[in-house]
Amino acid sequence: MNGSPDPASEDPFVVHRGLLFTVAYEILGSAADAEDVLQESWLRWADVDRGRVHDPRAYLVRIVTRQSLNQLRTVSRRREEYVGPWLPEPLLTSPDVADDVVLAESVSLAMLTVLETLTPTERAVFVLREVFDVPFDEIADAVDKTAATVRQIAHRARDHVAARRPRVEVDASEHDRVVRRFIAALDSGDMQGLMDVLAPDVVSTTHSGGLVRHAARRPLFGADRVVAFLRGSIAKLDIAYRVSAMTVNGRLAARIEVGGVLMAAVSFEVEDGRISRVFSMANPRKLEALGAETLLVR
């Protein structure tokens, strides 16, 4: 009780844990897998001779990146056998994430979905360079490539992402305004209101893992089909449902509860004042991460 600092709180791993989790999460798209990586990385860090580490932050990012790549290659095979569409795992976050524009875009469900189309090495290189501004030589050490090769991978990954990322930059206020219209319409059962807020060519994807009855097993294309599916889903309910706002990955999202139980977290991509993409997480195992707020930092 003498007021001396806790040695554990000064350990570089503890100091940089938020950053390390964010790196792992952006490479993996899964909070559970990111936590596994941090656990393994902590064990490796515990065996390191700290006196030989000149830059603990860079050293830890390298450890976490290597472990994330190992994990990603393992889970990629598992995801190929997944029932229905696979989406990144949503996180309950503070609205403050939106204050860092680069971080907010990089952890949005729309961007994380795009990152799923990269190879594991491309994804790690893109995240480290574009989001965390890690020098090429440090990335090279982390992914076991030469700096020249990493530059080529970074260029290829950047072009790949640019061709698939949201076409229009939307500020947080417009995004929130459109999403609140969707929440109000769905909560009140206003089907015409839903039609008005959805783009005609909207695409809706639901991740359920085959664990949710009546969940869409394939993406739905077009406002007519999306609204028809929602209307049918509501008609099947024999208990009250509620739709409210929550912050997911730094963006306003919809929380859908049925009988007081969280059934889905819905994120959105907005273009030209309407919703162009809908990302619904309905897998109950993946909704567990929404029980507490997660710190995401750069």
Side-chain angles (χ1 to χ4, degrees):
M1 301 295 290
N2 59 7
S4 60
D6 177 3
S9 69
E10 296 181 337
D11 186 289
F13 192 98
V14 177
V15 172
H16 298 299
R17 193 186 190 286
L19 164 71
L20 300 176
F21 176 85
T22 307
V23 170
Y25 174 69
E26 292 209 28
I27 293 175
L28 291 160
S30 162
D33 289 332
E35 289 291 355
D36 288 345
V37 161
L38 259 61
Q39 180 65 29
E40 182 62 31
S41 298
W42 167 253
L43 294 175
R44 292 175 180 270
W45 173 246
D47 291 334
V48 169
D49 179 357
R50 311 293 172 83
R52 303 180 64 181
V53 178
H54 301 297
D55 186 345
R57 182 181 185 276
Y59 192 93
L60 287 166
V61 168
R62 183 163 70 247
I63 292 176
V64 166
T65 298
R66 287 177 175 172
Q67 296 306 311
S68 295
L69 279 171
N70 291 339
Q71 182 81 348
L72 185 57
R73 290 173 181 131
T74 299
V75 300
S76 291
R77 292 189 289 273
R78 198 163 68 224
R79 290 171 189 175
E80 290 173 1
E81 303 168 355
Y82 200 80
V83 177
W86 193 94
L87 289 174
E89 185 176 351
L91 299 175
L92 183 67
T93 62
S94 163
D96 293 345
V97 172
D99 294 341
D100 183 335
V101 176
V102 173
L103 178 63
E105 182 188 19
S106 70
V107 298
S108 69
L109 269 292
M111 177 57 78
L112 290 174
T113 302
V114 171
L115 295 185
E116 288 294 320
T117 63
L118 295 170
T119 67
T121 301
E122 286 173 342
R123 183 166 184 168
V125 169
F126 180 88
V127 166
L128 292 178
R129 184 61 187 168
E130 299 297 317
V131 182
F132 299 97
D133 199 27
V134 176
F136 285 114
D137 58 337
E138 291 183 18
I139 298 175
D141 287 341
V143 301
D144 256 349
K145 306 285 183 185
T146 66
T149 299
V150 165
R151 287 180 183 273
Q152 294 174 346
I153 294 172
H155 179 74
R156 185 168 66 244
R158 195 181 305 116
D159 287 348
H160 181 98
V161 171
R164 292 163 176 79
R165 75 198 316 165
R167 293 168 290 183
V168 180
E169 298 266 345
V170 176
D171 64 36
S173 60
E174 181 182 357
H175 178 275
D176 290 0
R177 178 179 58 79
V178 173
V179 170
R180 289 190 188 283
R181 286 178 57 202
F182 176 94
I183 291 171
L186 184 57
D187 190 50
S188 63
D190 178 6
M191 296 299 129
Q192 184 57 53
L194 288 174
M195 285 293 297
D196 293 341
V197 78
L198 295 173
D201 58 350
V202 64
V203 180
S204 176
T205 304
T206 299
H207 174 136
S208 69
L211 300 176
V212 180
R213 194 179 177 190
H214 304 310
R217 294 289 183 90
R218 295 184 176 87
L220 301 174
F221 297 89
D224 289 343
R225 290 195 65 192
V226 172
V227 171
F229 181 83
L230 290 171
R231 181 187 290 112
S233 298
I234 291 171
K236 293 183 179 79
L237 296 176
D238 55 5
I239 51 178
Y241 74 95
R242 179 173 181 262
V243 187
S244 58
M246 67 190 304
T247 302
V248 168
N249 291 50
R251 300 277 179 96
L252 194 71
R255 175 188 181 92
I256 301 179
E257 298 177 8
V258 178
V261 177
L262 176 62
M263 298 300 291
V266 188
S267 298
F268 307 90
E269 186 177 316
V270 173
E271 296 180 23
D272 300 323
R274 286 185 169 183
I275 291 169
S276 58
R277 292 289 302 273
V278 180
F279 307 94
S280 300
M281 176 56 68
N283 185 329
R285 296 171 184 168
K286 300 295 180 72
L287 293 174
E288 292 175 1
L290 296 169
E293 194 172 285
T294 299
L295 176 68
L296 295 175
V297 296
R298 281 204 298 158

